[in-house]
Amino acid sequence: MAAIDTGDTAWMMISAALVLLMIPGLALFYGGMVRSKSVLNMIMMSFSALGLVAVLWILYGFSITFGNSVGDAGYVGDVTEFLGLTTLVNADSVIGTIPAPVFIAFQGMFAAITVALISGSIADRAKFGAWLVFAGIWATVVYFPVAHWVFAFDDFVATTGGWIANDLGAIDFAGGTAVHINAGAAGLALAIILGKRIGFGKTPMRPHNLPLVMLGAALLWFGWFGFNAGSAVGSNGLAGVAFINTIGATAAAMLSWLLVEKIRDGHATSLGAASGVVAGLVAITPACASVNAIGALVIGAVAGILCALSVGLKFKLGYDDSLDVVAVHLVGGLVGTLMIGVVGVEVGLFDGGGTEQLVKQAIGAGAVLAYSFIATLIIGKLIDIVMGFRISADEEQAGIDVSYHAERGYELSDSSQGGLSGASKGA
Amino acid sequence: MKLITAIIKPFKLDDVKTALTAVGVNGLTVSEASGMGRQRGHVEVYRGAEYAVDLVPKVRIEIVVDDAEVAAAVDAIVKAANTGKIGDGKVWVVPVESIVRVRTGESGTAAL
């Protein structure tokens, strides 16, 4: 058994906490973008994903992701191997150079945020209970296996890992495929299942609180250092490379998104800056340890431009991906994953690597995209048939916060009046 | 007694307040309003989606004055709120039947 490295352990505990912080960050980023009548539901979809997925991760998710690959096929880990984590959560278990519980915690946060990311495509209109059912099934059937494909390396946690990491050899350092392409494709499928919001494309659906969006984007960027540099699973040089690239690509993407806006719309907007930041973070995620500083700037700049241009697709094609999960996460994830094959050090087309790695990257990205999209269509449709996924038109017009959570986000003047009705149930 | 209602540009509120004080009007009620007239709204852009915002933010001032002071008060508002550009607003006057000061119960002009 390998010895525990204290520096690695300290960094990985901090990284796990940083990735956790991305989830409330995402909640604010998304929450500010919806209308004020659905801000709480938007935030709750992220928060509840954290609650539910963390529990599933402990019960059986880690085992499906990092258990020995069933039949050594590389598709899904053995769910019985670490069921309930009973053999791993103790003071003596080690994975790599860190305590096993720290590795489990870090990877568990990835599962939670991936599920939360999807919620952006179904703002204002999904039954809260149906969302929770979806989150649980999707994590189980889609995220855990796909994370096994991508993140489970042979002889790290278990002897045999996933097919993308080991057999194909596509590079995905921190989750361009497993997290972003996965969530983006699922977001597209779910937006199609749920249909458009009432008035989509006709009535204004302006972001109700842009400072909240900016704060959320800033928290995401901060937390993303744990996401990317933490994916080195150690406090080392690779983490340092990922760290600086998480700055460079993100900064470049912010600038290029603003440039697109200035040229196309005439104004550089704060929402554009926040969106560019997230697009850059998404794109550098798979590539952060495989490119040099200039490569990171190029990936960021390209992601900012392509993501900004992709936002208009939903109006042209007629799907209501409310907060642009497709344009930011699917497109950004594809840009980062594919561009490893272009600007990646030694493996990229521009660095003497030929097209071999690019082909591998495309196969990995395509497989995750197709599996996630089709599986999500099926899961979403089944939930819609069994329990109904969408709230009624009345509830939607009144606002999902009041209809489903019996709360409203803001009380700006104390003039609502009224008193307690009936006995307080909480007392 | 007359009720004077003025819709003005928000940034002109301070000037109008000063002008009304100068002609002896000491009480007024101000509320934020939005509306449309000949001044057109503006366009807002969110992730490339353009929204035409028709209603323009305005400030509504309401004062009740004695008949003899109406002309001076309206004049003060109009002069102070004027920028010469479209969207400066409107002022209108309607009769008031009665008025009561809540604290003392005084009524009529004594309540002004």
Side-chain angles (χ1 to χ4, degrees), chain A residues 324-414:
Chain A
D324 302 305
V325 180
V326 174
V328 175
H329 295 277
L330 181 54
V331 174
L334 286 170
V335 167
T337 301
L338 295 177
M339 281 190 68
I340 292 171
V342 180
V343 295
V345 173
E346 288 172 13
V347 297
L349 199 57
F350 291 175
D351 201 31
T355 56
E356 190 189 346
Q357 190 65 38
L358 184 58
V359 171
K360 289 179 183 175
Q361 297 300 114
I363 293 171
V368 172
L369 199 169
Y371 176 71
S372 175
F373 182 75
I374 293 166
T376 307
L377 273 183
I378 295 169
I379 297 167
K381 193 71 200 167
L382 284 176
I383 291 175
D384 198 32
I385 291 167
V386 173
M387 61 188 294
F389 214 138
R390 187 162 173 161
I391 64 176
S392 74
D394 285 353
E395 290 163 341
E396 188 178 333
Q397 264 153 350
I400 191 168
D401 286 1
V402 165
S403 305
Y404 270 77
H405 302 289
E407 296 171 295
R408 56 181 85 235
Y410 305 96
E411 184 72 80
L412 294 179
S413 68
D414 200 13

Side-chain angles (χ1 to χ4, degrees), chain A residues 35-362:
Chain A
R35 291 166 290 176
S36 59
K37 65 181 179 180
S38 40
V39 56
L40 294 176
N41 174 257
M42 201 66 243
I43 288 174
M44 276 292 282
M45 283 200 278
S46 288
F47 258 70
S48 60
L50 174 56
L52 179 64
V53 177
V55 170
L56 298 183
W57 183 252
I58 289 165
L59 290 178
Y60 62 80
F62 179 81
S63 198
I64 294 179
T65 304
F66 287 102
N68 208 42
S69 208
V70 174
D72 291 339
Y75 297 129
V76 60
D78 182 355
V79 67
T80 61
E81 189 169 357
F82 304 118
L83 204 59
L85 302 178
T86 43
T87 56
L88 288 180
V89 176
N90 55 61
D92 301 319
S93 291
V94 177
I95 291 175
T97 59
I98 64 174
V102 176
F103 182 76
I104 295 165
F106 178 72
Q107 291 291 344
M109 295 302 97
F110 276 59
I113 195 165
T114 306
V115 174
L117 286 171
I118 302 168
S119 66
S121 77
I122 54 169
D124 306 347
R125 62 194 189 285
K127 280 185 188 170
F128 186 62
W131 160 252
L132 283 179
V133 170
F134 172 81
I137 296 175
W138 193 86
T140 305
V141 177
V142 182
Y143 182 80
F144 299 154
V146 170
H148 177 75
W149 303 356
V150 176
F151 291 145
F153 286 92
D154 289 350
D155 299 317
F156 190 65
V157 179
T159 317
T160 320
W163 71 275
I164 289 182
N166 304 291
D167 305 330
L168 177 65
I171 296 168
D172 183 359
F173 192 68
T177 53
V179 175
H180 296 290
I181 292 175
N182 204 359
L188 177 60
L190 220 48
I192 292 169
I193 295 283
L194 266 85
K196 299 174 211 174
R197 286 169 293 176
I198 296 167
F200 173 74
K202 298 186 200 87
T203 58
M205 295 179 178
R206 289 184 287 169
H208 87 285
N209 189 335
L210 286 171
L212 217 56
V213 174
M214 303 296 276
L215 176 62
L219 285 174
L220 280 169
W221 196 345
F222 184 73
W224 224 292
F225 288 116
F227 199 87
N228 284 354
S231 288
V233 200
S235 182
N236 52 35
L238 211 53
V241 172
F243 204 103
I244 182 63
N245 286 343
T246 302
I247 296 175
T250 311
M254 187 210 297
L255 294 182
S256 67
W257 188 300
L258 289 175
L259 188 67
V260 168
E261 286 195 331
K262 180 66 189 164
I263 293 170
R264 186 188 57 189
D265 312 322
H267 304 277
T269 68
S270 61
L271 180 58
S275 308
V277 162
V278 178
L281 288 165
V282 168
I284 201 60
T285 292
C288 58
S290 310
V291 294
N292 60 29
I294 300 300
L297 293 180
V298 172
I299 287 179
V302 170
I305 292 168
L306 291 183
C307 293
L309 294 175
S310 305
V311 168
L313 283 177
K314 65 179 178 184
F315 297 110
K316 290 201 184 79
L317 302 178
Y319 60 92
D320 182 4
D321 171 17
S322 316
L323 309 182
D324 302 305
V325 180
V326 174
V328 175
H329 295 277
L330 181 54
V331 174
L334 286 170
V335 167
T337 301
L338 295 177
M339 281 190 68
I340 292 171
V342 180
V343 295
V345 173
E346 288 172 13
V347 297
L349 199 57
F350 291 175
D351 201 31
T355 56
E356 190 189 346
Q357 190 65 38
L358 184 58
V359 171
K360 289 179 183 175
Q361 297 300 114

Side-chain angles (χ1 to χ4, degrees), chain A residues 4-20:
Chain A
I4 285 174
D5 182 296
T6 53
D8 288 348
T9 304
W11 168 236
M12 291 310 295
M13 285 161 91
I14 291 168
S15 288
L18 283 170
V19 179
L20 187 145

Side-chain angles (χ1 to χ4, degrees), chain A residues 29 33 204-207 264-265 275 311 323-324, chain B residues 42-53:
Chain A
F29 179 69
M33 264 190 276
M205 295 179 178
R206 289 184 287 169
R264 186 188 57 189
D265 312 322
S275 308
V311 168
L323 309 182
D324 302 305
Chain B
H42 59 277
V43 171
E44 295 179 11
V45 189
Y46 298 96
R47 280 185 174 166
E50 287 195 3
Y51 295 115
V53 179

